[in-house]
Amino acid sequence: MLAAVPSVLKLDHAIISEQGGRDNNEDACGMWTSHTLGCWVLADGLGGYEGGEIASQLTVRAILSDIANDPCFSSATINELMHLANEAISARKVQDYGLSRMASTAVVLLIDRVNATALWGHVGDSRLYLVRDNQILMRTRDHSLLQRAADMGAIEPSAAFHPRLRSILTHALGGDVFSSSIEEAQVVLLPGDAFLLCSDGWWELLNEHDMIDALNRNDSAERWLACLEQLVLERAQPRHDNYSAVAVRIVGQ
């Protein structure tokens, strides 16, 4: 008698990554999925440092390669993926002195498609949002001086830009200080849930209402991102930063 094949989550996902008003794109995104597990990653090379695009590409490549070779679902796995990406950047910096200051943010989402659960982790100010029932259920907290100032009450938490604090990160892959934030408790997923992973060039021009409204008005991950991208382009200034986003919708099981 043949064993029953377990039902798995049906997912709808899409990726956008554009250079915006810059000369090159220092963002990188990617995904890997199997019948039982999915991994999505977004990285943003630090602007102003030589090799930002190399750092973000190394990050995505190292994370997706490792999860494909050893597909495990745990918070320890995400921590290991972050460390491997950090090591990949650090090793390349040793090989090329001209890249000695390069670094990258990263946000990683893992979904167990059999047990309908998710875990994630991040470094820097690339974000993950979880939308459920017309609200932002969870959002990562940036590793930045801007976030630290907001936590201390020095500025309003809603401030998207501050001329002195906006781009200063407290943690990054390949940086002098490396520390990641990992979601330790598995989050049970429901049909209709939606994840948005994005770089700062994306989220700085959007608010949470934009994200929820666009999700409600579009029935696919691709159209959701396209709708939000239109808002980004309408609001962007000349020489606007690279912008990237990954959308993952839970369709059913």
Side-chain angles (χ1 to χ4, degrees), residues 208-219:
E208 295 183 355
H209 172 76
D210 295 328
M211 299 173 189
I212 296 169
D213 180 62
L215 178 62
N216 288 335
R217 291 190 290 111
N218 294 277
D219 60 358

Side-chain angles (χ1 to χ4, degrees), residues 1-245:
M1 184 177 180
L2 295 176
V5 177
S7 61
V8 298
L9 282 183
K10 295 180 177 64
L11 305 173
D12 174 28
H13 43 85
I15 293 175
I16 286 179
S17 185
E18 299 292 344
Q19 70 184 56
R22 301 296 173 85
D23 295 330
N24 63 328
N25 190 357
E26 295 183 315
D27 292 354
C29 311
M31 54 160 288
W32 173 88
T33 61
S34 70
H35 184 67
T36 59
L37 186 66
C39 177
W40 295 262
V41 57
L42 180 146
D44 179 0
L46 268 59
Y49 295 125
E50 196 70 29
E53 70 278 12
I54 296 175
S56 63
Q57 292 166 11
L58 284 171
T59 295
V60 172
R61 191 178 307 133
I63 288 173
L64 294 183
S65 175
D66 189 70
I67 196 67
N69 289 331
D70 186 17
C72 296
F73 178 81
S74 69
S75 56
T77 296
I78 297 178
N79 187 56
E80 179 183 355
L81 294 173
M82 293 292 193
H83 278 278
L84 288 171
N86 190 64
E87 291 170 4
I89 295 173
S90 298
R92 182 62 183 274
K93 289 165 69 172
V94 171
Q95 297 171 5
D96 189 337
Y97 180 76
L99 303 176
S100 62
R101 299 183 68 192
M102 72 176 182
S104 179
T105 71
V107 56
V108 179
L109 169 65
L110 285 184
I111 292 181
D112 181 335
R113 301 183 64 186
V114 175
N115 296 303
T117 52
L119 289 167
W120 56 84
H122 79 289
V123 179
D125 63 354
S126 292
R127 293 181 177 178
L128 177 146
Y129 296 82
L130 171 55
V131 185
R132 175 180 293 172
D133 295 333
N134 293 316
Q135 62 179 333
I136 303 296
L137 185 66
M138 294 184 179
R139 195 213 89 184
T140 54
R141 300 180 68 80
D142 303 335
H143 299 138
S144 68
L145 289 187
L146 183 66
Q147 182 69 64
R148 182 176 293 177
D151 292 343
M152 295 173 62
I155 61 174
E156 289 297 322
S158 60
F161 179 83
H162 189 286
R164 296 178 60 188
L165 305 178
R166 170 67 184 84
S167 60
I168 303 175
L169 301 185
T170 56
H171 300 295
L173 296 172
D176 295 331
V177 179
F178 165 63
S179 178
S180 59
S181 294
I182 311 294
E183 180 64 41
E184 298 290 344
Q186 298 182 15
V187 176
V188 177
L189 300 177
L190 303 175
D193 286 354
F195 288 97
L196 181 67
L197 288 63
C198 50
S199 62
D200 61 337
W202 181 278
W203 61 254
E204 71 177 354
L205 294 175
L206 300 170
N207 58 48
E208 295 183 355
H209 172 76
D210 295 328
M211 299 173 189
I212 296 169
D213 180 62
L215 178 62
N216 288 335
R217 291 190 290 111
N218 294 277
D219 60 358
S220 75
E222 182 177 6
R223 284 188 283 271
W224 183 28
L225 290 190
C227 182
L228 291 175
E229 181 185 25
Q230 186 60 40
L231 293 177
V232 169
L233 294 175
E234 290 172 0
R235 298 168 183 176
Q237 300 296 314
R239 300 292 299 168
H240 173 58
D241 196 3
N242 314 139
Y243 62 89
S244 299

